[in-house]
Amino acid sequence: MGELRWSAAAEAAAEIAAAWGPGEPGGGVAVFDARELRAEACGGVDSLAGGNAFSGDTVVRYASVTKHVFAALALSQGGIGLDDRLGQLLPSLRGDLATVTAGRALDMTGGLPDLGETLSLLGVPQGAAVSREESLEVLYRLTGLNFPSGHEISYSNTGYRLLDAALLPRGTAFADLVRDRIAGPLGIGFRVPETWLDPIRGLAPGYWKEAGGAWQLATSGRHLSASGCLTGSLRDLVRWQQAVLADRGPGQGLLARLGATRTLADGTPTGYGLGLAWSRLGARRLIGHGGSLLGYKTYFLLDPEQGVGAAVVSNREDTVSHGTALKLMAALLGEDLPRPGTPIPDGLYVAEQGPGWLELKDGVASVLGTGETLYPGEDGWSVSLSAHFPMRLRWTGEAVEGEIGHAARRFRPIAPDGVLDRVQGEWRCPDFHAAFTIAGERLEMGGPVRSSAPLLPLGGGRLLAEGREGAWPQRIGLAFDGDTARLALNRSRVLRFQRR
């Protein structure tokens, strides 16, 4: 085991917190071992209205950090087995969704379309109120998967949402399990709100802003499921992770169960477990997870062999939580941070078929709107460091080829064609009473108040809509085949519309 550099980690923490200035939203960071909180630093304020300093006790939304907590409780206390099929647990599910196992729903290899991105493609704004029942009804109408279950890995929140719903008929609620099995025994403030408007004592508002603009309050009307509903403070998160590292109490056996190797159908290991992701920092093997909800960013990383970890929470959209946690662990473990870079030329590329597209820009590879930084790999390859969105790509001189999500991919430079002239007018998705319109060089969606996005021809009957939904870009791929149009974002690739 290597030497632990607690002083260096404390200095890194102070430097990070200092960047969150007074009068702005902020955050907190910590480094710890299984027994002690060794260093903590906070900056900024918990609310622009109140102006109180952000502290280790400030409550935030953990977002997808929730996932490993839910997986642990659902499998140990909820009576759900990894081989249970979703259709057995939720008889209203149809088609291929019903055949996905709970294990693949949790380990991101199930191919389940993400509800959030599906709603966006159907023209439902982020701020529109969507209840638990309405969310499930949308999923019950879907029949197809993004890809055959077990054939690649791609992040989706839907598996966690569906298994959360499957607990209820058994008389078990995620909120009760968290209270009785984790928060109560550890004396921590984990809470499980169902909606953005549920009152949570001490919860800091989240904030976002456009470049050069003023800070705005973050909000969402969508139901918060066990894919990302948990709230708590920095110190709550640290105390929970200390139990995990110490392998005691509610954390006993968690890393062994949730961090166990998961594979694709062909036996390829993925690096993503059940709500936990493995990564490397130099010679060290780390495990952790991040979370992102509008206005909130979180991350934790653990080195199980050394028994140490780092945690990050923030109530501002621009926090780079993974990079921050990695910086803390690099300082603590004495490892160098990886240096990004790729020889693949910047530009926009399109898949051989379908709505898929790839953009290389400033070292970041974006696929259907989801981006990862690339790093030099072996033998001229460029790789991402993400377990749930792995990439291994290279430039052949004519195309970008390799693997994304462990599935073979090939993209060629775009060659704009005359597709816009052929696809003007209204396109409808009768199953969801949804529609979009191609009007000139723009995509229009919605009701009386419509969103509008410019369209860029990619070639081969494909378009890219360069839209935006609040703080987040929304870059939709469209592929036309006669009177059928496919709309796709990275996490939802199943919707088809018909020409009116």
Side-chain angles (χ1 to χ4, degrees):
M1 300 212 305
E3 178 185 358
L4 296 174
R5 308 191 314 169
W6 293 109
S7 294
E11 291 175 7
E15 179 182 330
I16 291 164
W20 294 318
E24 290 193 344
V29 298
V31 287
F32 52 90
D33 59 24
R35 297 181 303 277
E36 295 182 56
L37 172 57
R38 304 296 291 262
E40 174 189 279
C42 301
V45 298
D46 62 0
S47 166
L48 296 183
N52 294 321
F54 199 105
S55 76
D57 293 320
T58 298
V59 178
V60 298
R61 299 187 189 278
Y62 289 151
S64 286
V65 165
T66 306
K67 285 184 168 64
H68 75 289
V69 177
F70 174 76
L73 293 172
L75 296 172
S76 65
Q77 307 294 329
I80 291 175
L82 291 176
D83 294 327
D84 293 347
R85 297 194 179 275
L86 295 182
Q88 298 172 259
L89 302 171
L90 294 168
S92 295
L93 282 173
R94 302 188 298 152
D96 291 337
L97 274 76
T99 69
V100 176
T101 65
R104 297 217 176 275
L106 294 172
D107 72 9
M108 304 301 174
T109 65
L112 295 166
D114 183 78
L115 174 68
E117 292 200 350
T118 301
L119 290 173
S120 294
L121 291 171
L122 293 169
V124 181
Q126 178 78 21
V130 182
S131 68
R132 175 195 288 271
E133 293 73 22
E134 291 166 332
S135 299
L136 291 173
E137 180 58 32
V138 170
L139 296 174
Y140 292 157
R141 292 186 191 181
L142 295 174
T143 58
L145 300 173
N146 288 339
F147 51 84
S149 185
H151 284 241
E152 66 178 89
I153 185 168
S154 182
Y155 199 88
S156 173
N157 293 296
T158 293
Y160 288 78
R161 176 177 292 280
L162 291 174
L163 291 173
D164 182 10
L167 291 181
L168 295 178
R170 299 163 177 252
T172 304
F174 180 44
D176 296 338
L177 291 176
V178 169
R179 180 194 63 217
D180 297 340
R181 302 290 179 173
I182 295 178
L186 293 180
I188 59 178
F190 282 3
R191 297 291 183 270
V192 183
E194 290 233 357
T195 76
W196 204 274
L197 300 179
D198 289 353
I200 298 294
R201 184 180 298 275
L203 178 64
Y207 295 92
W208 66 279
K209 68 175 179 178
E210 296 181 1
W215 288 106
Q216 300 184 52
L217 278 170
T219 186
S220 173
R222 296 176 183 174
H223 175 259
L224 299 171
S225 74
S227 64
C229 59
L230 201 64
T231 66
S233 69
L234 174 64
R235 291 173 187 169
D236 290 333
L237 183 57
V238 168
R239 285 194 287 271
W240 162 239
Q241 296 304 332
Q242 287 175 321
V244 171
L245 281 173
D247 201 30
R248 62 173 169 78
Q252 186 171 12
L254 185 143
L255 287 180
R257 295 194 308 273
L258 304 191
T261 300
R262 303 287 299 175
T263 65
L264 298 181
D266 65 2
T268 300
T270 66
Y272 191 93
L274 306 173
L276 291 174
W278 287 98
S279 61
R280 283 203 169 273
L281 177 62
R284 308 305 309 169
R285 194 163 182 247
L286 309 180
I287 191 168
H289 209 282
S292 175
L293 279 171
L294 184 58
Y296 298 93
K297 295 293 179 71
T298 57
Y299 218 101
F300 72 90
L301 284 172
L302 307 177
D303 181 336
E305 184 179 355
Q306 299 269 55
V308 297
V312 180
V313 303
S314 177
N315 68 333
R316 52 189 292 159
E317 177 65 25
D318 60 0
T319 296
V320 182
S321 56
H322 176 248
T324 301
L326 207 59
K327 181 177 180 179
L328 291 168
M329 291 300 283
L332 176 59
L333 300 173
E335 297 285 355
D336 292 329
L337 287 169
R339 293 186 177 182
T342 175
I344 302 174
D346 279 4
L348 196 57
Y349 305 84
V350 66
E352 297 290 342
Q353 295 180 334
W357 57 267
L358 166 72
E359 183 183 56
L360 268 294
K361 185 177 181 181
D362 299 331
V364 175
S366 298
V367 182
L368 279 169
T370 298
E372 286 287 342
T373 300
L374 294 182
Y375 298 82
E378 296 179 353
D379 300 324
W381 291 92
S382 298
V383 299
S384 73
L385 303 182
S386 169
H388 60 74
F389 200 34
M391 299 187 193
R392 184 172 178 264
L393 302 171
R394 68 180 178 186
W395 172 245
T396 68
E398 296 180 351
V400 179
E401 64 178 20
E403 294 181 348
I404 297 175
H406 301 297
R409 294 286 188 268
R410 189 174 190 274
F411 300 87
R412 54 179 172 78
I414 66 171
D417 56 11
V419 63
L420 275 170
D421 294 334
R422 304 194 300 270
V423 300
Q424 295 292 310
E426 188 175 37
W427 299 75
R428 291 187 172 184
C429 183
D431 289 346
F432 294 97
H433 309 289
F436 69 87
T437 301
I438 304 292
E441 297 181 355
R442 301 191 74 85
L443 169 73
E444 297 181 352
M445 279 184 170
V449 180
R450 295 172 69 77
S451 64
S452 178
L455 291 164
L456 174 67
L458 302 177
R462 277 81 61 84
L463 294 169
L464 170 60
E466 297 273 13
R468 193 167 192 86
E469 187 172 20
W472 295 336
Q474 188 179 73
R475 308 178 72 193
I476 300 171
L478 299 90
F480 296 88
D481 182 9
D483 290 334
T484 299
R486 289 179 60 192
L487 266 65
L489 291 165
N490 185 61
R491 299 180 183 179
S492 180
R493 315 172 207 165
V494 298
L495 293 178
R496 284 170 170 77
F497 290 70
Q498 303 297 318
R499 188 192 293 273
R500 183 179 179 184

